[in-house]
Amino acid sequence: GSTLKNCFSNISMYGGNAVGAFTGDDYGNNSFTNCYTSGIVEGKTDVGGFTGMSNAKISSNYSNCYSTAITGMEHSTGNLGGFIGAANGYVNFNPCYAAGEVGKLAGTTTNTGGFSGNNAGNVDNCYYDKQMSGMREVPGKAGVIGKTTKGLTGKDTAYFSTDANWVCKDSLYPQLKVFADRDTVIENFGEEQADLVMAYSEASVSTAFLRDNTATDAKDYDTVRDIADIFEFTNNKNAPDNNAAYVWQHDSVRHPD
């Protein structure tokens, strides 16, 4: 087994089966602590923002991990999750969250959820963004809590704002302290790399804020797949205490229209 701690990836990952931005197939006896992923993950089956799948026969643990990677937009057919595509009973998540868009843009998929694809694994204090994942009320795993973007961002974010391993700021998803607190970053990565590490972290938790009328109707909100109103992005104005300048651009290569 392997122990991975204080690691992150920001990549475009393409494959066939068992594809993830951090690891493809977790065979068990692994430990992931203080790790995050962002970017794009594409594959056919068993595709996850963090881990593609788990064939573990010995327990693996994911602690203080998150993914904001976009998952399975083009070619995927089944077992797609914002964090893991297909898990089993030997995999444990606590606490973790997923906030990337999930699922094929055209056509249908099976076993697709905001956090997990196949409703397996053991979860505690795990969340997904119902709006940005596009999954609405479908976490893909019983026990994972769905939040609107506003509910999963800001200084008072549920659970994460009271956990010393995390840093919560206005208009951003929770960041891991090891990548967001300057003194901690310098201690782990050195002063020369500190600004870059913190900027990557902050970029990974920036988002858009879609219409959210859940104060009056719990199911009245837009998603990235169903937009009714103009929305705002995380930007320099609504996240002033930041380490990155925000510039949003249309991806004319992947989405020419």
Side-chain angles (χ1 to χ4, degrees):
S2 301
T3 299
L4 295 97
K5 187 175 183 179
N6 303 342
C7 300
F8 68 92
S9 68
N10 179 11
I11 59 174
S12 295
M13 179 64 73
Y14 298 85
N17 303 322
V19 188
F22 204 92
T23 183
D25 194 339
D26 178 356
Y27 287 97
N29 196 28
N30 296 313
S31 174
F32 303 87
T33 304
N34 295 342
C35 298
Y36 78 84
T37 65
S38 61
I40 298 170
V41 185
E42 293 288 355
K44 292 182 179 180
T45 60
D46 302 327
V47 182
F50 195 102
T51 296
M53 68 179 295
S54 171
N55 277 314
K57 301 302 180 184
I58 304 174
S59 292
S60 277
N61 298 301
Y62 295 75
S63 178
N64 298 322
C65 296
Y66 71 87
S67 175
T68 56
I70 297 170
T71 304
M73 303 280 282
E74 297 182 10
H75 308 294
S76 299
T77 59
N79 286 349
L80 317 176
F83 194 95
I84 187 167
N88 64 18
Y90 290 94
V91 189
N92 307 299
F93 307 93
N94 179 27
C96 299
Y97 76 84
E101 187 173 358
V102 183
K104 207 169 183 177
L105 288 171
T108 59
T109 60
T110 59
N111 295 339
T112 303
F115 188 89
S116 172
N118 71 334
N119 193 30
N122 306 299
V123 300
D124 196 10
N125 302 313
C126 290
Y127 301 81
Y128 76 103
D129 187 325
K130 298 190 292 185
Q131 294 182 277
M132 298 312 296
S133 68
M135 289 291 101
R136 289 191 173 271
E137 309 301 321
V138 184
K141 169 58 188 170
V144 176
I145 300 170
K147 294 282 188 179
T148 63
T149 306
K150 287 183 179 179
L152 199 53
T153 58
K155 292 181 178 179
D156 299 318
T157 306
Y159 180 80
F160 299 99
S161 61
T162 60
D163 187 320
N165 293 295
W166 298 82
V167 172
C168 295
K169 295 183 178 181
D170 287 336
S171 300
L172 301 174
Y173 294 117
Q175 297 178 82
L176 290 162
K177 182 178 180 179
V178 68
F179 303 117
D181 176 77
R182 175 167 289 277
D183 290 340
T184 307
V185 172
I186 291 173
E187 179 181 345
N188 284 280
F189 299 96
E191 190 166 2
E192 185 176 345
Q193 297 294 322
D195 287 340
L196 181 62
V197 170
M198 294 176 71
Y200 267 116
S201 174
E202 193 160 284
S204 77
V205 296
S206 300
T207 189
F209 292 89
L210 308 181
R211 183 181 64 86
D212 179 355
N213 193 37
T214 54
T216 56
D217 183 342
K219 295 185 178 181
D220 185 12
Y221 56 85
D222 286 355
T223 78
V224 287
R225 302 290 176 90
D226 182 16
I227 299 175
D229 291 350
I230 295 173
F231 56 89
E232 65 177 356
F233 294 105
T234 294
N235 56 39
N236 299 314
K237 181 179 179 180
N238 61 26
D241 182 20
N242 56 45
N243 298 283
Y246 300 102
V247 178
W248 294 85
Q249 296 179 323
H250 174 242
D251 187 344
S252 59
V253 176
R254 291 173 57 84
H255 303 286
D257 56 350

